Amino acid sequence: MLDIKFVRSNPEIVKKSLEKRNNDPAVVDDFLKVDEERRQKIMVAEELKSKRNKVSEEIGNLKKSGQNADELVLEMRSVSQEIKALDEEVRQVNEKLDSIILGIPNVPHETVPTGKDDTDNRVEEHWGTPREFSFSPKPHWDLGEDLDILDFERATKVTGTRFVFYKSWGARLERALINFMLDLHTTEHGYKEIIPPFMVNRDSMTGTGQLPKFAEDMFHLSNVDYFLIPTAEVPVTNIYRDEIIPEGNLPLYHVAYSPCFRAEAGAYGRDTRGLIRMHQFNKVELVKFVHPENSYEELEKLRKNAEKVLQLLEIPYRVVTLSTGDLGFSSAKTYDLEVWLPYFETYREISSCSNFEDFQARRANIRFRPQGKGKPEFVHTLNGSGLAIGRTTAAILENYQEEDGSITIPKVLRPYMGGLERIEKE
RNA sequence: GGAGAGAUGACCGAGUGGUUGAAGGUGCACGCCUGGAAAGCGUGUGUAGGGGUAACUCUACCGAGGGUUCGAAUCCCUCUCUCUCCGCCA
């Protein structure tokens, strides 16, 4: 969420930001109106409370000295009634204000291109050259099923659509990728490894911004009020919810493997085949808590850390900066890494690296105490996939396929595959 | 799942209806002391939200939410969490 005081004193900036994101800037006017109403009510209520406190003390003193205070007691009885009614009004206004402010997205960073949707994303750079095939490359799902390392059909029987069984070398490849990425980020990039809970409570989902707006994107358990995590970002960012981190501990780098669960409501027609859009997929996630001063340097580093994975795997990709029309609700700036998929003949998102500035931290109340004695300030949070495992598997199958349907294993992964160089039909 | 105990500030720990935002201690910060440090002494040390240019001031907060009362950390109810014992279990 944005800072209420910031919105109050910079309504024009917020309106402009909403316009750039193709949202209705009128909510800012609603906000200002309700904010004013709120302060009015608070003033009246607090005045009465102040009075009650004073008179109550008087009553105490009178009674102690054996004098009669009935008249004051009677008067205060009605004042208390009034206060109760006012408090209720304040509560309602607060709720209204909260729902407005929680619905306002983050203000895009000045370097974010203005645009209406993903077609306006700015391509920053390309890495690697898509391979020339002497045959027509197959989609990863055909490759996987032919090799009997992916089984979509039975997963549909056992669970439903958008689930998959990884089998044999497919399972091993998936596991190899997880370990390879975790090893890279912990030993080369300085991240601390975390295995988080795969379910979280409502407060955590609100802390990172999935709730209240995006409830339909998640799986919610029916016998407890827990949600399956849509990304490790949720439990890992919430580690420090309602805490004050000693300034000397910043920056904190965490890397977490987790399965991710997404309802994918509203994605019915899209990516119905293959590993691209599943209800459950694996991901290695990078999360940073940093000093506000250098969060944009940290974003560049984060992006480089994620890119390193694709470089070592030797798979072509490009980097784009999301335009204001494509930018996520909580993000001030996001780079997407898009991997080359030969069958699709296109680049597809495989990592999303974002700087949320203090948007999440304010919501989750994650702070640090600046040097000496100052007031606690919100940290900046960042996260990025490092990478989505399922999509990486898809990219390996498609980019490393041979004409006979076998898959060459990228060199860096071979130590994780017992030295295997190629997955072939058994 | 059954039985019991508990939840107070950065931490420990007093406090059962009226200057308790909260004793005392620890820690921390600053100052004095010292050649320097330790010890000692002194001062200070929560968060959020209103009002005010400001000094400052008001309100709320003792796990959470309700209730009783002129007045609640203190009494009542509900919930959550933690601990101990039993049961179950990877």
Side-chain angles (χ1 to χ4, degrees), chain A residues 91-283:
Chain A
R91 198 190 59 77
Q92 282 175 13
V93 174
N94 270 335
E95 223 164 69
K96 204 163 22 159
L97 194 69
D98 271 356
S99 80
I100 292 174
I101 195 87
L102 286 176
I104 297 177
N106 204 351
V107 177
H109 190 252
E110 58 191 11
T111 57
V112 169
T114 302
K116 60 180 188 314
D117 54 35
D118 60 351
T119 59
D120 292 316
N121 292 348
R122 183 174 66 216
V123 178
E124 302 292 346
E125 59 178 281
H126 288 79
W127 187 93
T129 315
R131 177 181 152 197
E132 296 280 348
F133 284 89
S134 56
F135 55 94
S136 56
K138 292 182 186 160
H140 65 272
W141 54 87
D142 282 350
L143 293 161
E145 284 175 332
D146 289 346
L147 290 166
D148 199 27
I149 58 173
L150 295 178
D151 191 337
F152 293 95
E153 216 170 289
R154 289 202 180 91
T156 304
K157 174 179 74 180
V158 170
T159 305
T161 56
R162 297 195 191 277
F163 286 90
V164 67
F165 279 103
Y166 289 89
K167 294 155 72 175
S168 183
W169 286 110
R172 182 69 178 261
L173 175 60
E174 186 87 356
R175 183 156 58 88
L177 282 168
I178 294 167
N179 286 332
F180 160 63
M181 292 183 200
L182 286 173
D183 285 352
L184 174 69
H185 294 309
T186 52
T187 63
E188 304 290 319
H189 300 150
Y191 290 78
K192 184 200 258 186
E193 185 170 348
I194 304 277
I195 298 179
F198 299 156
M199 305 175 197
V200 298
N201 59 31
R202 192 168 283 275
D203 284 344
S204 294
M205 281 297 189
T206 308
T208 32
Q210 279 71 25
L211 290 176
K213 267 202 100 173
F214 306 104
E216 69 282 1
D217 295 338
M218 293 175 308
F219 289 107
H220 180 232
L221 304 197
S222 64
N223 58 344
V224 270
D225 193 20
Y226 294 163
F227 296 82
L228 296 182
I229 58 171
T231 159
E233 165 197 346
V234 177
V236 174
T237 304
N238 277 285
I239 289 175
Y240 303 103
R241 173 152 52 83
D242 296 322
E243 291 192 22
I244 297 175
I245 302 170
E247 187 179 31
N249 291 6
L250 297 178
L252 288 164
Y253 293 2
H254 291 325
V255 57
Y257 156 74
S258 87
C260 304
F261 302 92
R262 297 189 183 179
E264 294 296 345
Y268 293 117
R270 293 158 58 198
D271 305 312
T272 48
R273 304 203 64 184
L275 296 171
I276 301 300
R277 195 173 298 277
M278 310 293 282
H279 284 316
Q280 177 192 319
F281 62 95
N282 293 307
K283 183 155 62 71

Side-chain angles (χ1 to χ4, degrees), chain A residues 284-318:
Chain A
V284 167
E285 181 76 2
L286 306 170
V287 179
K288 289 185 174 190
F289 303 84
V290 308
H291 201 286
E293 270 172 14
N294 46 35
S295 66
Y296 279 92
E297 290 157 43
E298 293 286 356
L299 178 62
E300 296 306 314
K301 278 161 71 183
L302 177 68
R303 167 191 147 186
K304 292 293 173 204
N305 294 156
E307 283 184 52
K308 188 74 181 176
V309 177
L310 287 170
Q311 289 171 7
L312 289 172
L313 290 171
E314 299 181 84
I315 305 174
Y317 67 90
R318 65 177 192 182

Side-chain angles (χ1 to χ4, degrees), chain A residues 313-375:
Chain A
L313 290 171
E314 299 181 84
I315 305 174
Y317 67 90
R318 65 177 192 182
V319 181
V320 304
T321 304
L322 298 193
S323 79
T324 51
D326 200 24
L327 192 62
F329 180 82
S330 305
S331 178
K333 182 175 185 177
T334 298
Y335 290 116
D336 271 6
L337 270 50
E338 298 181 336
V339 72
W340 176 254
L341 291 178
Y343 172 76
F344 293 88
E345 290 187 300
T346 185
Y347 290 95
R348 292 298 304 258
E349 179 191 341
I350 197 166
S351 173
S352 198
C353 301
S354 303
N355 185 358
F356 302 99
E357 299 186 355
D358 63 4
F359 194 86
Q360 276 185 336
R362 178 171 298 104
R363 200 150 162 166
N365 194 26
I366 304 169
R367 296 175 294 175
F368 72 98
R369 197 178 295 279
Q371 215 130 56
K373 264 287 123 190
K375 290 218 161 218

Side-chain angles (χ1 to χ4, degrees), chain A residues 11-59:
Chain A
E12 290 313 313
I13 293 178
V14 179
K15 280 188 189 177
K16 211 163 278 167
S17 139
L18 284 162
E19 274 163 23
K20 283 186 187 170
R21 283 175 174 271
N22 310 314
N23 291 342
D24 188 358
V27 291
V28 176
D29 294 319
D30 292 347
F31 169 86
L32 293 173
K33 205 179 100 232
V34 177
D35 179 52
E36 181 57 34
E37 193 186 340
R38 168 174 172 271
R39 284 186 290 164
Q40 277 303 322
K41 288 195 190 303
I42 286 176
M43 248 194 290
V44 178
E46 291 193 345
E47 219 165 279
L48 281 177
K49 284 181 187 175
S50 176
K51 181 180 176 191
R52 180 179 66 182
N53 287 345
K54 284 202 188 80
V55 175
S56 288
E57 199 179 321
E58 244 178 82
I59 291 172

